[in-house]
Amino acid sequence: MVLGTYKEAVSARSTDSKILDVSQDGGIVSALLCYALDEGIIEGAVVAGTPDEDWRPVPTVVTSADEVIAAAGTKYSMSPTLSALKEATRQYGLEKVGVVATPCQTQGLRKAQAYPFTRFVAEKVKLIIGIYCMENFPMASLDTFATAKLGFDSLQDATKMDIGKGKFWLTKDGEDNGLAIKETHGYEQAGCNICNDYVCEWADVSTGSVGSPDGWSTVLTRTDDGASVFNAAVEAGLIETKPMDEVKPGLPLLEKLAKGKKDKNNAERERRAKMGVKVPTIY
Amino acid sequence: MFEKLKKAFGGSKDEAAPKVEEKVEAAVETPVEAAPEAAPEAAPAKPRIGYIHLSGCTGDAMSLTENYDILSTVLTDMIDIVYGQTLVDKWIHGTYAEEMPEMDLCLIEGSVCLQDEHSVHELLEARKKSGLIAAFGSCAVTGCFTTFARGGQQAQPKHESFLPISSLVKVDLALPGCPVAPEVIAKAVVALCEGDLDYLKPAMDWAACDKGCGCDVLTNVIRQGLCTGCGTCALACPTRAMGFSEGRPSCDRDRCIKCGSCYMMCPRSWLPEGRIKKETGL
Ligand SMILES: Cc1cc2nc3c(=O)[nH]c(=O)nc-3n(C[C@H](O)[C@H](O)[C@H](O)COP(=O)(O)OP(=O)(O)OC[C@H]3O[C@@H](n4cnc5c(N)ncnc54)[C@H](O)[C@@H]3O)c2cc1C
Ligand code: SF4
Ligand code: SF4
Ligand code: SF4
C-alpha cells in the first residue's frame, strides 16, 4: 500500500480560530496536541519552534496549549526533534510524551522503541503525530530561495512559508511570492533522496496538506491509539471533518505523490548501492 | 509467566509456551560458533546463563536487575544463572579454582586488560564453555571508557591496555550502551528463550564491532549522504556529547566516551522494518 496501513482517511480542520490563524494547514497537529494535553493523554510534547523567529526550527518541549500554538506552522528545515525527546523525559520528567515527527524522525523513534538501547525514553512516547514530507532543506537553501531567487533582502522578511500547487511560496508584506518547485531541486538535503516514506507510515496519526483544499488537512488514522485520540477530538467538537471522497483533489493525488517519491528514491537507493556507497541495512 | 513476559516485551503472541530445550538448541546452532564439544549430559530445562565481569563498572549487571517488574520471573522461571560473581557466587579466580560450567549464553561486561593474566584466562575459558557470547555493554563491545586507559596508576602501573572482547575471542552478539538499557536486555533475553533470531540479528551483525565514536555518524552517515538531521543519535548519547549544527550532528569529542550508541541507534545505519511493523501492526 503506497500510503501505508491506515484505518480511515478524512479531510479535516480545527474548529478553533486561535489555531487556524497560525497553523500551516487545517491545524490538525496543534488541535490534536491541545486535546491530548487537555485530556492528560500526554503531559507534554516535542515540537519544532522558532525561538529566534528566523525560520530555523529548534526542537522544543511544550506543556501547554499556548506553547503548542506558538510553535504551529511549518519550518522547511531540519529540526533534530528526537534530541529534545531526551530533554522531555529527563529535565521535564514527562512520563507521557507526544511527538510531532516527519517520516525520518518517526523511523528513528520506532527503531528506538523496537530496540530500546536508550533507557526509559521510547516507552514514554504515547502519541506520534506524523506529518507528510516530500523533502527538507538546509537553512542556506532557504536563504537562497528568498534572496537569490525571489529577490528578498533577507529570509527574515518572509512571514509564511509553504509548498503547494507546484510552487515554493514565501509571503512578504502580505503578498505571496511563488518559486517553481523545479527551481528548488538540488537544494534539498541529500539524505532525503533515498527516503521512501511520504505520508509518515509509522505514525499513530498522519497529516498533511496534499489531497485537501486550502485551510484543510488530509488525515490518516493508523494505530488504535491514534484513531481513538483523533475520533475523540472530533467528537469533542475540536475538529470538523469531511469524507475524503467529497473533497478535491482527494486521495488519488496523495497516492500519486507517495508513489512518485518511493519510485524515485528507491531508484536512487539502488544507484548508490551499486556505486558501493553506504545505504541503510533493512532488517 | 512466560506469556506475561512475552506480552510485556512484545514477544510473539500466537505461540504456545515454547519448548525451551528446542529453542535453546536453535539458538546455540546459530551461524556463529558450534556449541562446545563436551555435550551437556542432560538437555537443560532453561537456558544456562553466565555473567562475567571483566574491566567494567557493574552498570550493565545493574541494568539487568533494573527490570524490576519481571526480574524474579526471569530468574526463577526463564533462565538459570550458572556462573557469575555478582548475581550468583560462583566464579573462577586465582586461588579458588572452581571449574567454569557450560553455558548457553555468557554475558561479558567490561573490556579485557591485556596485562591481567586472570582476565584473559577467564575470557578464553568462557569462549570454550559458552554456546553464545554476548558483549554486554559498550566496554565489552567497543572498549568505551577504557579506550582512554594508559596505565601508570597504583597499584598496577602496568595495567594499561584494555581491549574490546572481540579482539581476543569470537563474539556472537553485541549489546552496546553505557550502560546497556534494561529494556533491550529484557527483549534480548526473551528473544533468546524463544529462539527469535530475527530479533537478535542486528545484535549478531554488530558482534564483530570493536570501536565506536561520535565520529561514526560523521563517517558513516553524514559523509555517505544519509543524514536527515532527525536527532536520534543525540537521543542515544549518554553523555550529551552530540550537538547539532546546520541540521547535522556534531560530536564534542572531549565529552564522547566512545560507547558507539549514536551510530547503533541511527535509523540510517540500520532499520528494523519487520520488527517495527510487527510491534505497531502497521
Ligand atoms: C520539511 C517538511 C516537508 C513537508 N512536506 C509536505 C508535503 O510534501 N506535502 C504535505 O501535504 N505536507 C507536507 N508537510 C506537512 C505540512 O507542511 C504541515 O506540517 C502539516 O500539514 C501539518 O499542518 P497543521 O496545520 O495540521 O499543523 P500546525 O498546527 O501548523 O502544526 C505544525 C507542527 O509541525 C511542527 N513542525 C514544523 N516544522 C517542522 C519540522 N521542520 N520538523 C518537524 N516538525 C515540524 C510544528 O512544531 C508544529 O507542531 C511538510 C512538513 C515539513 C516540516
Ligand atoms: S524527505 Fe524523508 S528524509 Fe527528508 S526530511 Fe522528509 S522524511 Fe526526512
Ligand atoms: S541519527 Fe543518523 S540520520 Fe539522524 S541525525 Fe543522527 S546521524 Fe543523522
Ligand atoms: S557521541 Fe555519545 S553516543 Fe556517540 S560514541 Fe560518543 S558518547 Fe557514545
Side-chain angles (χ1 to χ4, degrees):
Chain A
M1 249 193 306
V2 73
L3 299 181
T5 307
Y6 63 92
K7 295 179 192 293
E8 213 188 347
V10 292
S11 191
R13 74 172 176 194
S14 161
T15 54
D16 184 343
S17 63
K18 266 209 317 248
I19 291 178
L20 287 176
D21 283 349
V22 290
S23 66
Q24 189 72 17
D25 298 305
I28 296 304
V29 173
S30 299
L32 283 177
L33 287 180
C34 290
Y35 177 75
L37 276 171
D38 224 37
E39 293 296 310
I41 297 163
I42 56 172
E43 298 163 346
V46 183
V47 301
T50 42
D52 297 329
E53 311 256 334
D54 61 354
W55 289 107
R56 185 184 294 273
V58 175
T60 309
V61 182
V62 292
T63 53
S64 69
D66 285 348
E67 291 172 311
V68 167
I69 292 169
T74 303
K75 298 95 199 172
Y76 285 94
S77 194
M78 292 79 78
S79 178
T81 292
L82 296 203
S83 61
L85 184 54
K86 189 150 188 174
E87 203 177 317
T89 52
R90 302 281 200 272
Q91 279 95 323
Y92 286 74
L94 305 182
E95 290 293 327
K96 295 183 279 183
V97 189
V99 179
V100 182
T102 57
C104 56
Q105 293 166 350
T106 303
Q107 288 174 354
L109 190 43
R110 290 297 190 199
K111 176 177 172 179
Q113 288 177 331
Y115 286 83
F117 277 102
T118 300
R119 57 173 41 218
F120 308 140
V121 172
E123 62 185 22
K124 295 180 177 167
V125 173
K126 301 299 177 200
L127 182 64
I128 305 177
I129 305 178
I131 47 186
Y132 307 164
C133 180
M134 188 58 85
E135 63 209 350
N136 207 349
F137 301 96
M139 285 305 292
S141 298
L142 299 180
D143 283 334
T144 305
F145 301 159
T147 56
K149 295 196 184 259
L150 289 173
F152 290 19
D153 288 335
S154 150
L155 177 65
Q156 310 248 19
D157 297 345
T159 50
K160 173 146 184 166
M161 201 181 280
D162 194 22
I163 298 180
K165 303 190 183 70
K167 292 202 166 159
F168 182 96
W169 300 93
L170 284 181
T171 309
K172 184 184 141 195
D173 301 330
E175 198 185 312
D176 296 336
N177 302 267
L179 183 69
I181 284 290
K182 205 163 74 244
E183 292 275 315
T184 68
H185 289 164
Y187 286 91
E188 72 282 3
Q189 63 172 343
C192 296
N193 297 142
I194 63 146
C195 172
N196 52 19
D197 183 354
Y198 179 50
V199 288
C200 214
E201 297 176 24
W202 291 341
D204 291 313
V205 192
S206 315
T207 183
S209 62
V210 167
S212 293
D214 278 353
W216 288 73
S217 297
T218 303
V219 180
L220 301 168
T221 55
R222 299 189 182 279
T223 61
D224 291 343
D225 287 349
S228 89
V229 173
F230 181 76
N231 292 332
V234 172
E235 210 124 290
L238 300 179
I239 291 175
E240 56 179 318
T241 65
K242 285 185 193 170
M244 206 57 219
D245 48 14
E246 280 174 21
V247 301
K248 289 260 172 287
L251 283 191
L253 180 62
L254 194 63
E255 284 166 350
K256 184 177 153 225
L257 292 184
K259 180 166 187 309
K261 178 174 178 181
K262 278 182 197 285
D263 290 347
K264 180 164 149 276
N265 292 350
N266 284 336
E268 170 66 6
R269 205 177 270 239
E270 275 168 35
R271 189 185 74 89
R272 290 194 193 181
K274 261 199 209 118
M275 275 198 294
V277 175
K278 264 190 204 300
V279 291
T281 307
I282 306 298
Y283 289 96
Chain B
M1 282 299 197
F2 249 119
E3 289 310 309
K4 192 178 132 209
L5 264 173
K6 281 197 285 176
K7 227 173 127 209
F9 289 99
S12 51
K13 283 159 204 130
D14 35 16
E15 227 175 304
K19 287 206 185 97
V20 178
E21 301 91 314
E22 284 173 23
K23 301 294 183 181
V24 172
E25 284 290 359
V28 173
E29 270 170 28
T30 48
V32 276
E33 190 153 301
E37 280 297 286
E41 303 84 90
K46 303 173 199 163
R48 297 158 303 176
I49 305 219
Y51 164 75
I52 290 181
H53 187 278
L54 294 178
S55 295
C57 69
T58 330
D60 302 297
M62 288 287 290
S63 254
L64 169 69
T65 66
E66 273 182 272
N67 284 294
Y68 305 112
D69 297 347
I70 59 157
L71 188 66
S72 65
T73 311
V74 171
L75 294 184
T76 49
D77 296 356
M78 292 188 71
I79 60 172
D80 269 333
I81 304 234
V82 295
Y83 185 76
Q85 273 181 49
T86 318
L87 301 166
V88 291
D89 187 15
K90 187 174 171 72
W91 82 103
I92 52 170
H93 61 95
T95 51
Y96 175 62
E98 191 169 343
E99 214 193 321
M100 193 182 278
E102 304 278 329
M103 293 170 272
D104 296 303
L105 169 72
C106 185
L107 305 170
I108 301 188
E109 170 169 354
S111 60
V112 56
C113 175
L114 265 190
Q115 290 82 28
D116 177 20
E117 192 191 326
H118 173 71
S119 292
V120 173
H121 171 70
E122 197 177 16
L123 178 59
L124 297 179
E125 195 66 11
R127 180 64 277 181
K128 284 192 223 141
K129 300 282 189 175
S130 314
L132 295 171
I133 283 198
F136 189 53
S138 288
C139 282
V141 181
T142 70
C144 200
F145 274 105
T146 65
T147 304
F148 303 102
R150 53 185 59 203
Q153 288 181 314
Q154 298 297 0
Q156 295 286 359
K158 190 182 173 184
H159 283 191
E160 70 171 48
S161 328
F162 294 77
L163 291 173
I165 61 170
S166 64
S167 309
L168 297 195
V169 298
K170 181 158 173 50
V171 170
D172 303 307
L173 204 68
L175 296 174
C178 184
V180 55
E183 302 99 303
V184 87
I185 301 172
K187 278 186 130 173
V189 169
V190 171
L192 187 89
C193 292
E194 292 190 338
D196 179 0
L197 296 186
D198 285 346
Y199 187 75
L200 299 174
K201 188 78 179 27
M204 290 163 117
D205 287 353
W206 222 257
C209 171
D210 63 355
K211 54 181 86 61
C213 180
C215 346
D216 295 347
V217 298
L218 184 65
T219 316
N220 299 334
V221 191
I222 300 176
R223 207 165 66 172
Q224 307 283 335
L226 293 173
C227 183
T228 70
C230 66
T232 313
C233 47
L235 169 65
C237 180
T239 62
R240 296 177 198 259
M242 210 50 104
F244 274 80
S245 165
E246 296 306 328
R248 294 289 174 263
S250 146
C251 170
D252 175 349
R253 289 211 246 147
D254 289 338
R255 287 189 81 104
C256 172
I257 53 167
K258 295 189 181 281
C259 69
S261 301
C262 45
Y263 183 53
M264 178 73 167
M265 280 313 287
C266 168
R268 288 291 172 96
S269 66
W270 56 276
L271 192 63
E273 273 189 21
R275 183 72 189 192
I276 290 172
K277 285 182 180 159
K278 191 172 153 196
E279 286 190 4
T280 58
L282 293 171

